[in-house]
Amino acid sequence: MTDVTVDPDEAAQLRAKIIDQLRGEDWITSPEVETVMKKVPRERFCPADTPLEKVYDPYSAVFTKVDEHGVQLSSVSAPQIQALMLEQAEVRRGMSVLEIGSGGLNAAYLAELVGPDGEVTTVDIDPDVTGRAARLLAENGYDHVRLGSASA
């Protein structure tokens, strides 16, 4: 993999553009979801070699784990899907939230929505996925999110 240097200004511009687009298309309907999607830098939760245009494509997932046969095992969901899920969940400050399937980014969004008085627990069946999520959450200031692995 080639490490791509991310221009924070370009990332912020693309983040604002995609949020405006999702708001205009009514995927984002609440100021709370708009705020958290603006605040959390999506590129920090995607593989470093992912071009920003892909990271901020509103309808594309970014794959984070692929097996030896090229089968995609884990991803950061498309922004449109994340916005839809967050809006439908109606997560508010002070809530306790359990997320199943942890890539890290959605847990960061949830942590922002519940605020310091809320709780977020995120679990995944794959310890590689939760290990990656734990590292990324901690690196981005979300070390208060609880992580767990579930086994099949």
Side-chain angles (χ1 to χ4, degrees):
M1 286 187 188
T2 304
D3 187 21
V4 175
T5 302
V6 173
D7 176 352
D9 292 335
E10 181 184 4
Q13 289 172 355
L14 289 171
R15 189 175 322 114
K17 181 179 175 184
I18 194 174
I19 290 164
D20 288 346
Q21 180 179 346
L22 294 174
R23 189 133 179 95
E25 295 172 359
D26 289 331
W27 295 109
I28 296 175
T29 57
S30 71
E32 295 84 6
V33 170
E34 179 178 1
T35 298
V36 301
M37 290 188 79
K38 279 182 181 175
K39 182 175 184 178
V40 180
R42 179 177 171 82
E43 68 276 5
R44 293 186 189 167
F45 291 87
C46 294
D49 64 341
T50 309
L52 282 177
E53 294 75 24
K54 173 74 172 170
V55 169
Y56 286 105
D57 181 327
Y59 306 105
S60 293
V62 175
F63 297 103
T64 57
K65 184 175 180 182
V66 179
D67 74 7
E68 67 275 6
H69 304 291
V71 175
Q72 298 150 342
L73 302 174
S74 186
S75 67
V76 174
S77 297
Q80 172 260 339
I81 295 296
Q82 288 181 308
L84 175 66
M85 290 188 298
L86 293 170
E87 291 291 359
Q88 288 181 342
E90 297 182 354
V91 174
R92 299 291 179 246
R93 295 192 85 60
M95 288 181 149
S96 294
V97 179
L98 171 64
E99 176 192 33
I100 309 296
S102 178
L105 177 59
N106 208 54
Y109 289 148
L110 292 167
E112 290 290 341
L113 286 170
V114 302
D117 296 328
E119 297 178 350
V120 175
T121 302
T122 183
V123 299
D124 197 282
I125 196 168
D126 186 335
D128 292 338
V129 172
T130 54
R132 179 182 182 280
R135 178 180 55 80
L136 293 171
L137 287 163
E139 286 174 4
N140 289 283
Y142 298 99
D143 51 355
H144 58 286
V145 172
R146 286 182 275 178
L147 283 106
S149 275
S151 57

